[in-house]
Structures are given as C-alpha cells and as structure tokens.
Amino acid sequence: MNVQTGLRPSPIVATVDFYTDGVQHGFLRLPFSRDDSAWGSVMIPLTVVNNGVGPTALLTGGNHGDEYEGPIALYELARTLKAEDITGRVIIVPAMNYPAFAAGTRTSPIDKGNLNRSFPGRPDGTVTEKIADYFQRELLPLADIVLDFHSGGRTLDFLPFCAAHILPDKMQEAKSFEFVEAFGAPYSMKMLEIDSVGMYDTAAEDMGKTFITTELGGAGTATAKSAAIAKRGINNLLKAAGILEGEVEANKTQWLDMPGNDCFYFADDGGLIELLVDLGDQVQQGMVIARVSPIARTGIEPIEVRAKMDGILTARHVPGLVKPGDCVCVLSVPV
Ligand code: ZN
C-alpha cells in the first residue's frame, strides 16, 4: 500500500529494466487467471531503448484495438531502433490494450473496457483498469514527451491529423503544439474532446507532460499513405525532442480548429446513411451534409443532417448503416 495514494502496487510486472542501457524487448505481464489458463497472464509487448542521459519519449498504439497506423509504425520502430542512434530513452508499446488489439476490437474482449476511458485506472480493478493504472503510476511519470496514436477504428474515418489539446497551462499547450507541427501530418488539430474524463491524454496532461495524439485514418485498416505519415511523424518527433539526431523533415501542414459542439453530428434515428461530401471537402453553414433514410419501408423522406457552421469534413461514419446516437460526421475549421 502506498501511503500517499492509498493504492496498492500494480500487479503488472515489467520483464525489462527501464534504466539499463541498450535495447530490450519484453512484456508487461499482467496476471489474469482464467478457465483456459490457471495462474495465466496477459502479455503486453514492449521495447525499451536506452542510451545515456536525455529525455524519455513514451510511444503508444493500440489504445483502441482496431486502429492500425500506430501499431504498424511502432512494431517497426521497436524492430529497427538501435541504442547508438539515440540520446535518452524511448519506451515503445505498440498495442497498449493488447487483448483488444489481438481481437481486432476497440474495447477489450475480457471486460469490454475502453482503455481511453479507464484512467486513472485501479490496481485492483478489471484487466483494462489495471493497464490504465500501470501507465498512470509507472510509465507516464518516466516520460517527458508522450505520443499516443489513434485513428477512427472500424466505425469512423478521419482526415490524417496530429493533435494536441487546448490547455489551461499555455506554456504546456505551446510546447505540445510545437511537437504537433514537428510531427508533420498533412493536417494539425487544436483538439476539443467531447468526453475527456478517463482519457490517457488527460492523465498525461494533468501530470504536466507534453502530450500529442493523432487520428490518421480509420475504417478498421491503414493505408500506405497513413502508415507512412505515422512513421515520418515518429522520426520527426524524436528529432524535435533531441532523442534522434538530425533535422525534422519539414512537411506542409494545414492547421484545423474545433471551435465547439457544432463540430459534432450524431444520428437521431437509425437507417441508411448517405454522406453528400467527402473527407476534406468544404461545407457551408446550412448545407445538407448527410441524409439518413429509414430502411423498414419505402416512400419515407430521409432525415437531413445540416452543417451548423462553415468548415471541412474531418471525420465520417464508416459502416453504411447508422444507429441512433452514432457519430455521423465531424467538421473542423481551417485556421
Ligand atoms: Zn482511438
């Protein structure tokens, strides 16, 4: 029991040492006893690369299990990064919520936990809460700069952007936006969250860390372009942090802003969705951007979704049918 927090130690054991120089491939081993494996474990793969004194970058993918650019870029980085290439430390966890990633689902098949709504987590909670607690109390405190990869998963698709949040601490915010610029995605976002409680982002930011995230595509896969954006972004971030030598590879980026709740559109009713604009297209206030047609009978007018502001289409629903409450699309405003 920790006297300050009143929390017991995490049950997760790292099979690597975070302070030893060199490259170590190992696991975060989370005890999980179950029908098919008495005294078994969930094994979350990770790589730690250490060389001398310098900043620590914590790089994560698979926070949601059906988002692939981060894992593609991070498994490759873990395979190829050499200790002599860096100054400082790089901690690579390509699939944070490993049970979800292995199942190809957004949330964990073990407990239905959405890792990015589970922070600060609990050492005596569900499997997903235990993972969150380990990042909260063990890994985040080691980090100076944190990059967490996301994309739209199976149900959303995004314009490829790197993002940081509007923060009360303007120094911290400015530093985060510098790293977003350095990442060099085609789009860069000043991000607004609709539901920030329990997010990894918020946990890192509340600790004063420089935190950046991405939405690089979606539809349950990655493309050659979106994976390349992730790989270049990691390189640029490590260079901007002074961990890798060399100049940041400059890339033109369009800054976007999400000025308020008018950015988000949700389905009131279920049905067949028809987007009338594509990702990156300009829309004007009042324009019909999507229609939802009831499917149980013919002859019924579709429900129209109208833009509440001028902007560009930044995210869209992927499956052809929507359910009540689904996110239909998101708009943002070029800055
Ligand atoms: Zn995600």
Side-chain angles (χ1 to χ4, degrees), residues 63-64 67 106 149-151 215:
N63 181 335
H64 294 130
E67 304 174 1
R106 181 174 180 81
F149 278 104
H150 288 260
S151 56
E215 299 287 357

Side-chain angles (χ1 to χ4, degrees), residues 173-245:
E173 178 190 286
K175 199 160 176 216
S176 302
F177 286 142
E178 270 174 38
F179 277 96
V180 171
E181 179 95 32
F183 186 98
Y187 295 88
S188 297
M189 180 73 80
K190 299 187 173 188
M191 206 171 187
L192 177 77
E193 293 295 341
I194 50 174
D195 179 22
S196 69
V197 174
M199 289 180 71
Y200 180 51
D201 315 44
T202 313
E205 287 158 359
D206 285 352
M207 265 181 231
K209 306 298 179 186
T210 301
F211 180 90
I212 69 171
T213 184
T214 68
E215 299 287 357
L216 292 182
T221 190
T223 65
K225 282 194 184 68
S226 65
I229 293 165
K231 293 177 190 183
R232 182 185 59 208
I234 291 172
N235 252 298
N236 279 343
L237 172 128
L238 292 176
K239 286 174 179 170
I243 295 173
L244 273 183
E245 269 186 40

Side-chain angles (χ1 to χ4, degrees), residues 47-272:
T47 292
V48 183
V49 184
N50 244 315
N51 187 30
V53 178
T56 293
L58 174 57
L59 311 177
T60 50
N63 181 335
H64 294 130
D66 60 350
E67 304 174 1
Y68 295 101
E69 286 82 2
I72 287 171
L74 292 173
Y75 277 106
E76 177 171 299
L77 183 74
R79 211 164 54 230
T80 54
L81 189 64
K82 299 187 184 72
E84 60 266 31
D85 295 342
I86 70 159
T87 305
R89 178 167 53 183
V90 182
I91 302 171
I92 306 163
V93 187
M96 269 177 114
N97 194 350
Y98 185 76
F101 180 69
T105 51
R106 181 174 180 81
T107 62
S108 175
I110 297 172
D111 53 27
K112 292 291 166 198
N114 178 343
L115 182 56
N116 217 27
R117 299 293 181 276
S118 300
F119 281 81
R122 295 170 59 98
D124 55 357
T126 63
V127 164
T128 305
E129 287 169 336
K130 286 171 177 166
I131 297 171
D133 172 67
Y134 188 84
F135 275 84
Q136 174 84 31
R137 289 192 296 147
E138 302 293 338
L139 292 184
L140 279 176
L142 300 177
D144 298 293
I145 165 102
V146 183
L147 163 60
D148 186 35
F149 278 104
H150 288 260
S151 56
R154 285 191 291 188
T155 62
L156 287 177
D157 196 11
F158 279 88
L159 277 185
F161 66 78
C162 183
H165 294 105
I166 309 285
L167 296 173
D169 180 338
K170 291 302 163 191
M171 294 261 289
Q172 185 187 7
E173 178 190 286
K175 199 160 176 216
S176 302
F177 286 142
E178 270 174 38
F179 277 96
V180 171
E181 179 95 32
F183 186 98
Y187 295 88
S188 297
M189 180 73 80
K190 299 187 173 188
M191 206 171 187
L192 177 77
E193 293 295 341
I194 50 174
D195 179 22
S196 69
V197 174
M199 289 180 71
Y200 180 51
D201 315 44
T202 313
E205 287 158 359
D206 285 352
M207 265 181 231
K209 306 298 179 186
T210 301
F211 180 90
I212 69 171
T213 184
T214 68
E215 299 287 357
L216 292 182
T221 190
T223 65
K225 282 194 184 68
S226 65
I229 293 165
K231 293 177 190 183
R232 182 185 59 208
I234 291 172
N235 252 298
N236 279 343
L237 172 128
L238 292 176
K239 286 174 179 170
I243 295 173
L244 273 183
E245 269 186 40
E247 293 292 307
V248 168
E249 185 189 330
N251 191 50
K252 205 161 80 54
T253 190
Q254 168 67 57
W255 277 90
L256 301 171
D257 196 7
M258 292 167 77
N261 283 326
D262 284 356
C263 296
F264 298 96
Y265 298 82
F266 300 94
D268 292 337
D269 293 286
L272 173 65

Side-chain angles (χ1 to χ4, degrees), residues 5-80:
T5 61
L7 290 173
R8 67 186 71 215
S10 171
I12 293 179
V13 176
T15 68
V16 297
D17 182 277
F18 292 103
Y19 298 92
T20 302
D21 271 350
V23 177
Q24 300 168 77
H25 302 291
F27 301 94
L28 303 174
R29 192 176 62 78
L30 190 169
F32 177 50
S33 193
R34 55 199 191 268
D35 284 345
D36 68 346
S37 181
W39 292 19
S41 303
V42 170
M43 304 289 272
I44 302 166
L46 89 165
T47 292
V48 183
V49 184
N50 244 315
N51 187 30
V53 178
T56 293
L58 174 57
L59 311 177
T60 50
N63 181 335
H64 294 130
D66 60 350
E67 304 174 1
Y68 295 101
E69 286 82 2
I72 287 171
L74 292 173
Y75 277 106
E76 177 171 299
L77 183 74
R79 211 164 54 230
T80 54

